[in-house]
Amino acid sequence: MTKPNITKQQLIDVLQSWGEQKITADQLQAWMVTHYDPDEIDVGLGEPEWTQEAMNMVMNEYEIAKQQKFRLENFKLAIEFISSNESRFNQTRHLFLQDGFSD
């Protein structure tokens, strides 16, 4: 039996919808909770290893973080992290984790 797969584009589309305020932070988090289950759902199948890692990190962070810590104005950092190439992986990860959420 084949597991469902979350594609890079699906994740980007959800983040973009939130960034454009087409969905709320509550809806964003609900989507993450519903779709992020690494045992049941593949994340980024067919993507490079660093993209899969970025997708897992982004989904995990938005799944567990308190919504009041989400920084809507920096939603593009998540998209840049997911879309980064291997040479920019560490830099975009740092920016996403540092500036994507308030402390």
Side-chain angles (χ1 to χ4, degrees):
M1 181 162 98
T2 310
K3 294 194 291 187
N5 178 49
I6 300 300
T7 66
K8 177 177 152 181
Q9 191 59 55
Q10 283 176 302
L11 182 53
I12 288 171
D13 289 348
V14 169
L15 292 165
Q16 189 72 40
S17 291
W18 175 59
E20 295 171 355
Q21 299 183 19
K22 293 178 181 173
I23 64 171
T24 65
D26 189 52
Q27 290 170 310
L28 173 69
Q29 192 165 55
W31 190 89
M32 298 298 172
V33 168
T34 300
H35 292 90
Y36 188 64
D37 185 351
D39 293 332
E40 301 291 325
I41 298 172
D42 286 321
V43 177
L45 194 64
E47 295 289 344
E49 182 180 334
W50 63 86
T51 301
Q52 290 179 14
E53 185 175 341
M55 290 176 66
N56 276 288
M57 288 179 71
V58 166
M59 292 184 79
N60 184 61
E61 289 297 321
Y62 283 116
E63 178 185 42
I64 64 173
K66 293 185 185 318
Q67 290 177 28
Q68 58 267 33
K69 295 193 178 271
F70 292 10
R71 293 186 66 189
L72 178 63
E73 68 274 15
N74 289 340
F75 80 97
K76 288 186 178 179
L77 294 175
I79 294 172
E80 289 171 7
F81 180 34
I82 294 164
S83 302
S84 72
N85 58 31
E86 188 175 18
S87 66
R88 295 197 62 233
F89 177 84
N90 288 328
Q91 177 187 9
T92 56
R93 177 182 62 192
H94 175 77
L95 290 171
F96 167 68
L97 293 173
Q98 179 177 323
D99 296 333
F101 301 89
S102 61
D103 286 333

